[in-house]
Amino acid sequence: MTVHRGRWTLEDRLEQGLRELPFDVPAGTAAVTVELSFDGGVIDLGCGGPGGFRGWSGGARRTYTVAADWATPGYLPGELEPGTWNVWLGLHRIPPDGVPYEVTVTTSSSLPPRPEVPAAPPRPERPPRRDLPAPSGMRWLAGDLHSHTVHSDGTLTVHELACLAASRGLDYLAVTDHNTVSHHPELSAAGAHAGVLLLPGQEVTTDLGHANVFGDTGWVDFRRPSADWAAFARARGGIMSINHPLSGDCAWRRPLPPESRPEFAEIWHPSWWDRRWGAPLAWADVWRPTGIVPLGGSDFHDPGQFKNLGEPVTWALTEEDRVLDALAAGRVAIAAGPDAPVLLRVEDDLIALDADGTVLCRPDGRRVAVRGDKVRIPAEGPGMHRLESHENEVIALCG
């Protein structure tokens, strides 16, 4: 057993926000259990082994187990390499008088009992799919690009989340747990069971901003500079998107040189609760004057929260189920929900559906009144277009 105890101070946090507490894992170890206790503040929890990342649960847990054949959600099971491991502590909130803490690490040569895993819910009944106009050989898929499970700070298992997505009429869902990829091995089976495409993702999470990385890229090291996240994603065929850039203490404040800035951003997030507030659109213009691909995500964690899965919905124009290709090409449209008014770009035209009486706003500021429930308007070039109500509330976006 290894025990670390002490008091983290505000000066400690300012000097280095992520701390590593070492412990030894002897040869033949079958499991490691870490327990964290502290009084006041917020301390995040994670783990690294000689081979690198072994898990992260942030502030969602105060204990975890990593064993050869199972691990606490958020952590990676597998053989425990002998050598020096580290408990990772993120000093997220440290008050001026400091935070006393204690970390206890227990190693075992025998496997602990595997926790009982909840049974998958029955396959849900899904609502009828909406028929949206699309070029020959392509179709619009309804999805949500931001969600969480028990592998970070969500309350649903991957199977439960997948079934909820299908019941909400979604065709795809990005599962983006914080700073971990432990949920990725469960996505294929859960998606097949529920009848929904689950995209591998992770929300790279720090005190100064969050970003989603979509695709089977492997773990993105949140300890590295943000430019490294973007380069890592690109090199492995993934996509990085800035999350909720103007959302309270989760707003984007990380340095990222203009040449490294991704063209994707979660413009529509539940924190944009008053869509007459034009700050997210103004931020996008300043962030990347050459143009941005707007994305939307519910940031769903818990059915008891005010956030509903698929609100907003991001429609992706795809060939077969190649959602990442659609995102990369900017073939997206965002609406308040699966049945809400929507603005689509189809070849050289914009099509406004169920949006009679709204106003089409072009990237250059020109405005056109929409009259009718299916209106086709020439697109006249690239850029982010939007529909607004007569009260200047954004009701739809398209790339």
Coordinates of all heavy atoms in Angstrom, one line a residue, residues 241-296:
S241 N -13.1 20.0 -33.0 CA -14.0 21.1 -32.9 C -13.9 21.8 -31.6 O -13.9 21.2 -30.5 CB -15.5 20.6 -33.1 OG -16.4 21.6 -32.9
I242 N -13.9 23.1 -31.6 CA -13.9 23.9 -30.4 C -15.3 23.8 -29.8 O -16.3 24.1 -30.4 CB -13.6 25.4 -30.6 CG1 -12.2 25.5 -31.3 CG2 -13.6 26.2 -29.3 CD1 -11.1 24.9 -30.5
N243 N -15.4 23.5 -28.5 CA -16.7 23.3 -27.9 C -17.2 24.6 -27.2 O -16.4 25.3 -26.6 CB -16.7 22.2 -26.8 CG -16.8 20.8 -27.4 OD1 -17.0 20.7 -28.7 ND2 -16.7 19.8 -26.6
H244 N -18.5 24.8 -27.2 CA -19.2 25.9 -26.4 C -18.2 27.0 -26.1 O -17.9 27.3 -25.0 CB -19.9 25.4 -25.2 CG -19.1 24.3 -24.4 ND1 -17.9 24.6 -23.8 CD2 -19.3 23.0 -24.1 CE1 -17.4 23.5 -23.2 NE2 -18.3 22.6 -23.4
P245 N -17.8 27.7 -27.1 CA -16.7 28.7 -26.9 C -17.1 29.9 -26.0 O -16.2 30.5 -25.5 CB -16.4 29.2 -28.3 CG -17.6 28.9 -29.1 CD -18.2 27.7 -28.6
L246 N -18.4 30.1 -25.8 CA -18.8 31.2 -24.9 C -19.7 30.7 -23.8 O -20.7 31.3 -23.4 CB -19.5 32.3 -25.7 CG -18.7 32.9 -26.8 CD1 -19.6 33.9 -27.7 CD2 -17.5 33.7 -26.2
S247 N -19.3 29.6 -23.2 CA -20.2 29.0 -22.2 C -19.6 29.1 -20.8 O -18.9 28.2 -20.3 CB -20.4 27.5 -22.5 OG -21.1 26.8 -21.5
G248 N -19.8 30.2 -20.1 CA -19.4 30.4 -18.7 C -18.0 30.0 -18.4 O -17.1 30.4 -19.2
D249 N -17.7 29.3 -17.4 CA -16.3 29.0 -17.1 C -15.7 27.9 -18.0 O -14.6 27.5 -17.8 CB -16.1 28.6 -15.6 CG -16.7 27.3 -15.2 OD1 -17.5 26.7 -16.0 OD2 -16.4 26.7 -14.1
C250 N -16.6 27.4 -18.9 CA -16.1 26.4 -19.9 C -15.8 27.1 -21.2 O -15.5 26.4 -22.2 CB -17.1 25.3 -20.1 SG -17.4 24.3 -18.6
A251 N -15.8 28.4 -21.2 CA -15.6 29.1 -22.5 C -14.1 28.9 -22.9 O -13.2 28.6 -22.1 CB -15.8 30.6 -22.3
W252 N -13.9 29.0 -24.2 CA -12.6 28.8 -24.8 C -11.6 29.9 -24.5 O -11.9 31.1 -25.0 CB -12.7 28.5 -26.3 CG -11.3 28.2 -26.9 CD1 -10.4 29.0 -27.5 CD2 -10.7 26.9 -26.9 NE1 -9.3 28.3 -27.9 CE2 -9.5 27.0 -27.5 CE3 -11.1 25.6 -26.5 CZ2 -8.6 25.9 -27.7 CZ3 -10.3 24.5 -26.7 CH2 -9.1 24.7 -27.3
R253 N -10.6 29.7 -23.8 CA -9.6 30.7 -23.5 C -8.2 30.2 -23.7 O -7.2 30.8 -23.2 CB -9.8 31.2 -22.0 CG -11.0 32.0 -21.7 CD -11.3 32.1 -20.3 NE -11.7 30.8 -19.7 CZ -11.8 30.5 -18.4 NH1 -11.4 31.4 -17.5 NH2 -12.2 29.4 -18.0
R254 N -8.0 29.1 -24.3 CA -6.7 28.5 -24.5 C -6.0 29.2 -25.7 O -6.7 29.5 -26.7 CB -6.8 27.0 -24.8 CG -7.3 26.2 -23.6 CD -7.3 24.7 -23.9 NE -5.9 24.3 -24.2 CZ -5.1 23.8 -23.3 NH1 -5.4 23.8 -22.0 NH2 -3.9 23.4 -23.6
P255 N -4.7 29.4 -25.6 CA -4.0 29.9 -26.8 C -3.9 28.9 -27.9 O -3.7 27.7 -27.7 CB -2.6 30.2 -26.2 CG -2.5 29.3 -25.0 CD -3.8 29.1 -24.5
L256 N -4.2 29.4 -29.1 CA -4.1 28.5 -30.3 C -3.8 29.4 -31.5 O -4.7 30.3 -31.8 CB -5.5 27.8 -30.5 CG -5.5 26.7 -31.5 CD1 -4.4 25.6 -31.2 CD2 -6.8 26.0 -31.6
P257 N -2.6 29.3 -32.1 CA -2.3 30.2 -33.1 C -3.2 30.1 -34.3 O -3.8 29.0 -34.6 CB -0.9 29.8 -33.5 CG -0.7 28.4 -33.0 CD -1.6 28.3 -31.8
P258 N -3.4 31.2 -35.0 CA -4.4 31.2 -36.2 C -4.2 30.1 -37.1 O -5.2 29.5 -37.6 CB -4.2 32.6 -36.8 CG -3.7 33.4 -35.7 CD -2.9 32.6 -34.8
E259 N -2.9 29.7 -37.4 CA -2.7 28.7 -38.4 C -3.1 27.3 -37.9 O -3.2 26.3 -38.7 CB -1.2 28.7 -38.8 CG -0.2 28.3 -37.7 CD 0.2 29.5 -36.9 OE1 -0.4 30.6 -37.0 OE2 1.2 29.4 -36.2
S260 N -3.3 27.1 -36.6 CA -3.7 25.8 -36.0 C -5.2 25.7 -35.7 O -5.6 24.7 -35.2 CB -2.9 25.5 -34.8 OG -1.5 25.4 -35.0
R261 N -5.9 26.8 -35.9 CA -7.3 26.9 -35.5 C -8.1 26.0 -36.4 O -8.1 26.1 -37.6 CB -7.8 28.3 -35.5 CG -7.2 29.2 -34.5 CD -7.7 30.6 -34.5 NE -7.1 31.4 -33.4 CZ -7.2 32.7 -33.3 NH1 -8.0 33.3 -34.1 NH2 -6.6 33.3 -32.3
P262 N -8.9 25.0 -35.8 CA -9.8 24.2 -36.7 C -10.9 25.0 -37.2 O -11.3 26.0 -36.7 CB -10.3 23.1 -35.7 CG -10.2 23.8 -34.3 CD -9.0 24.7 -34.4
E263 N -11.4 24.5 -38.3 CA -12.6 25.2 -39.0 C -13.9 24.7 -38.4 O -15.0 25.1 -38.9 CB -12.5 24.9 -40.5 CG -12.6 23.5 -40.9 CD -12.5 23.3 -42.4 OE1 -13.3 24.0 -43.1 OE2 -11.8 22.5 -42.9
F264 N -13.9 23.9 -37.4 CA -15.1 23.4 -36.8 C -15.3 24.0 -35.4 O -14.4 24.0 -34.6 CB -15.1 21.9 -36.7 CG -14.8 21.2 -38.0 CD1 -13.4 20.9 -38.4 CD2 -15.7 20.9 -38.9 CE1 -13.1 20.3 -39.6 CE2 -15.4 20.3 -40.2 CZ -14.1 20.0 -40.5
A265 N -16.6 24.3 -35.1 CA -16.8 24.8 -33.7 C -18.3 24.5 -33.4 O -19.2 24.6 -34.3 CB -16.6 26.3 -33.6
E266 N -18.5 24.2 -32.1 CA -19.8 23.9 -31.6 C -20.5 25.3 -31.3 O -20.6 25.8 -30.2 CB -19.7 23.1 -30.3 CG -21.0 22.6 -29.8 CD -20.8 21.9 -28.5 OE1 -20.4 22.5 -27.5 OE2 -21.1 20.6 -28.4
I267 N -21.0 25.9 -32.4 CA -21.7 27.2 -32.3 C -23.0 27.0 -31.5 O -23.3 27.9 -30.7 CB -22.0 27.8 -33.7 CG1 -20.6 28.0 -34.4 CG2 -22.7 29.1 -33.6 CD1 -19.7 28.9 -33.7
W268 N -23.8 26.0 -31.8 CA -25.1 25.8 -31.1 C -24.9 24.8 -30.0 O -24.7 23.6 -30.2 CB -26.1 25.3 -32.2 CG -27.5 25.5 -31.7 CD1 -28.1 25.3 -30.5 CD2 -28.6 25.8 -32.6 NE1 -29.4 25.5 -30.5 CE2 -29.8 25.8 -31.8 CE3 -28.7 26.1 -34.0 CZ2 -31.0 26.1 -32.4 CZ3 -29.9 26.4 -34.5 CH2 -31.1 26.4 -33.7
H269 N -25.1 25.2 -28.8 CA -24.9 24.5 -27.6 C -26.0 24.9 -26.6 O -26.5 26.1 -26.7 CB -23.5 24.7 -27.0 CG -23.3 24.1 -25.7 ND1 -23.5 24.7 -24.4 CD2 -22.8 22.8 -25.4 CE1 -23.2 23.8 -23.5 NE2 -22.7 22.7 -24.0
P270 N -26.5 24.1 -25.7 CA -27.6 24.5 -24.8 C -27.3 25.8 -24.0 O -28.3 26.5 -23.6 CB -27.8 23.3 -23.8 CG -27.4 22.2 -24.7 CD -26.2 22.7 -25.5
S271 N -26.0 26.2 -23.8 CA -25.7 27.4 -23.2 C -26.1 28.6 -24.0 O -26.2 29.8 -23.5 CB -24.2 27.5 -22.8 OG -23.4 27.4 -24.0
W272 N -26.4 28.4 -25.3 CA -26.9 29.5 -26.2 C -28.4 29.5 -26.0 O -29.2 29.3 -26.9 CB -26.5 29.2 -27.6 CG -26.7 30.4 -28.5 CD1 -26.8 31.7 -28.2 CD2 -26.8 30.3 -30.0 NE1 -26.9 32.5 -29.3 CE2 -26.9 31.7 -30.4 CE3 -26.7 29.3 -30.9 CZ2 -27.0 32.0 -31.8 CZ3 -26.8 29.6 -32.2 CH2 -26.9 30.9 -32.7
W273 N -28.9 29.8 -24.7 CA -30.3 29.6 -24.4 C -31.1 30.8 -25.0 O -32.3 30.6 -25.2 CB -30.4 29.6 -22.9 CG -29.9 30.8 -22.2 CD1 -28.6 31.0 -21.7 CD2 -30.6 32.0 -21.8 NE1 -28.5 32.2 -21.1 CE2 -29.7 32.9 -21.2 CE3 -31.9 32.4 -22.0 CZ2 -30.1 34.1 -20.7 CZ3 -32.3 33.7 -21.6 CH2 -31.4 34.5 -20.9
D274 N -30.6 31.9 -25.2 CA -31.3 33.0 -25.9 C -30.6 33.2 -27.3 O -29.6 33.9 -27.4 CB -31.2 34.3 -25.1 CG -32.1 35.4 -25.7 OD1 -32.5 35.3 -26.9 OD2 -32.3 36.4 -25.0
R275 N -31.2 32.7 -28.3 CA -30.6 32.7 -29.6 C -30.7 34.1 -30.4 O -30.4 34.2 -31.5 CB -31.1 31.6 -30.5 CG -30.6 30.2 -29.9 CD -30.8 29.1 -30.8 NE -32.1 28.9 -31.3 CZ -33.1 28.2 -30.6 NH1 -32.8 27.7 -29.4 NH2 -34.3 28.1 -31.1
R276 N -31.3 35.1 -29.7 CA -31.1 36.5 -30.2 C -29.8 37.0 -29.8 O -29.4 38.1 -30.3 CB -32.2 37.3 -29.5 CG -33.7 36.9 -29.9 CD -34.7 37.7 -29.1 NE -34.5 37.4 -27.6 CZ -35.2 37.9 -26.7 NH1 -36.2 38.8 -26.9 NH2 -35.0 37.5 -25.4
W277 N -29.1 36.4 -28.9 CA -27.7 36.8 -28.5 C -26.7 36.4 -29.6 O -26.5 35.2 -29.8 CB -27.4 36.1 -27.2 CG -26.1 36.5 -26.5 CD1 -25.7 37.7 -26.2 CD2 -25.2 35.5 -26.0 NE1 -24.5 37.6 -25.6 CE2 -24.1 36.3 -25.5 CE3 -25.0 34.2 -26.0 CZ2 -23.0 35.7 -24.9 CZ3 -23.9 33.6 -25.5 CH2 -22.9 34.4 -24.9
G278 N -26.2 37.3 -30.3 CA -25.4 37.0 -31.4 C -23.9 36.8 -31.2 O -23.1 36.6 -32.1
A279 N -23.5 36.7 -29.9 CA -22.1 36.5 -29.6 C -21.5 35.3 -30.2 O -20.3 35.4 -30.7 CB -21.9 36.6 -28.1
P280 N -22.1 34.1 -30.2 CA -21.5 32.9 -30.8 C -21.2 33.1 -32.3 O -20.1 32.7 -32.8 CB -22.5 31.8 -30.6 CG -23.2 32.2 -29.4 CD -23.4 33.7 -29.5
L281 N -22.1 33.8 -33.0 CA -21.8 34.1 -34.4 C -20.7 35.1 -34.6 O -19.9 34.9 -35.5 CB -23.1 34.6 -35.1 CG -24.3 33.7 -34.9 CD1 -25.6 34.3 -35.5 CD2 -24.1 32.3 -35.6
A282 N -20.7 36.1 -33.7 CA -19.6 37.1 -33.8 C -18.3 36.4 -33.5 O -17.2 36.7 -34.1 CB -19.9 38.2 -32.9
W283 N -18.3 35.5 -32.5 CA -17.0 34.8 -32.1 C -16.5 34.0 -33.3 O -15.3 34.0 -33.6 CB -17.3 33.9 -31.0 CG -16.1 33.0 -30.6 CD1 -15.1 33.3 -29.7 CD2 -15.8 31.8 -31.1 NE1 -14.2 32.3 -29.7 CE2 -14.6 31.3 -30.5 CE3 -16.4 30.9 -32.1 CZ2 -13.9 30.1 -30.8 CZ3 -15.7 29.7 -32.4 CH2 -14.6 29.3 -31.8
A284 N -17.4 33.4 -34.0 CA -17.0 32.5 -35.2 C -16.3 33.4 -36.2 O -15.3 33.0 -36.8 CB -18.2 31.8 -35.8
D285 N -16.9 34.6 -36.5 CA -16.3 35.5 -37.5 C -14.9 35.9 -37.1 O -14.0 36.0 -38.0 CB -17.2 36.7 -37.7 CG -18.5 36.4 -38.4 OD1 -18.5 35.3 -39.1 OD2 -19.4 37.2 -38.3
V286 N -14.7 36.2 -35.8 CA -13.3 36.6 -35.4 C -12.4 35.4 -35.3 O -11.2 35.5 -35.6 CB -13.5 37.3 -34.0 CG1 -12.1 37.6 -33.5 CG2 -14.3 38.6 -34.2
W287 N -12.9 34.3 -34.9 CA -12.0 33.1 -34.7 C -11.4 32.7 -36.0 O -10.2 32.4 -36.0 CB -12.9 32.0 -34.1 CG -12.2 30.6 -34.0 CD1 -12.4 29.6 -34.9 CD2 -11.3 30.2 -33.0 NE1 -11.6 28.5 -34.5 CE2 -10.9 28.9 -33.4 CE3 -10.7 30.8 -31.9 CZ2 -10.0 28.1 -32.6 CZ3 -9.8 30.0 -31.2 CH2 -9.5 28.7 -31.5
R288 N -12.2 32.6 -37.0 CA -11.7 32.2 -38.3 C -12.3 33.0 -39.4 O -13.4 32.5 -40.0 CB -12.0 30.7 -38.5 CG -11.0 29.9 -39.4 CD -11.2 28.4 -39.3 NE -10.1 27.7 -40.0 CZ -10.2 27.4 -41.3 NH1 -11.3 27.8 -42.0 NH2 -9.3 26.7 -41.9
P289 N -11.8 34.1 -39.8 CA -12.4 35.0 -40.7 C -12.6 34.3 -42.1 O -13.5 34.7 -42.9 CB -11.4 36.1 -40.9 CG -10.7 36.1 -39.6 CD -10.6 34.7 -39.2
T290 N -11.8 33.3 -42.4 CA -12.0 32.6 -43.7 C -13.2 31.7 -43.7 O -13.5 31.1 -44.8 CB -10.7 31.8 -44.0 OG1 -10.4 30.9 -43.0 CG2 -9.6 32.8 -44.3
G291 N -13.9 31.5 -42.6 CA -15.1 30.6 -42.6 C -15.0 29.5 -41.6 O -13.9 29.0 -41.3
I292 N -16.1 29.1 -41.0 CA -16.1 28.1 -40.0 C -17.3 27.2 -40.3 O -18.3 27.6 -40.9 CB -16.3 28.7 -38.6 CG1 -15.9 27.7 -37.5 CG2 -17.8 29.2 -38.4 CD1 -15.7 28.4 -36.2
V293 N -17.1 25.9 -40.0 CA -18.2 24.9 -40.2 C -18.9 24.8 -38.8 O -18.3 24.4 -37.8 CB -17.7 23.5 -40.6 CG1 -18.8 22.5 -40.6 CG2 -17.0 23.6 -41.9
P294 N -20.2 25.3 -38.7 CA -20.9 25.2 -37.5 C -21.4 23.8 -37.1 O -21.9 23.1 -38.0 CB -22.1 26.2 -37.7 CG -22.4 26.0 -39.2 CD -21.0 25.8 -39.8
L295 N -21.2 23.4 -35.9 CA -21.7 22.2 -35.4 C -22.6 22.4 -34.2 O -22.6 23.5 -33.6 CB -20.6 21.2 -35.0 CG -19.5 20.9 -36.1 CD1 -18.4 20.0 -35.5 CD2 -20.1 20.3 -37.3
G296 N -23.4 21.4 -33.9 CA -24.3 21.5 -32.7 C -24.2 20.3 -31.9 O -24.0 19.2 -32.3

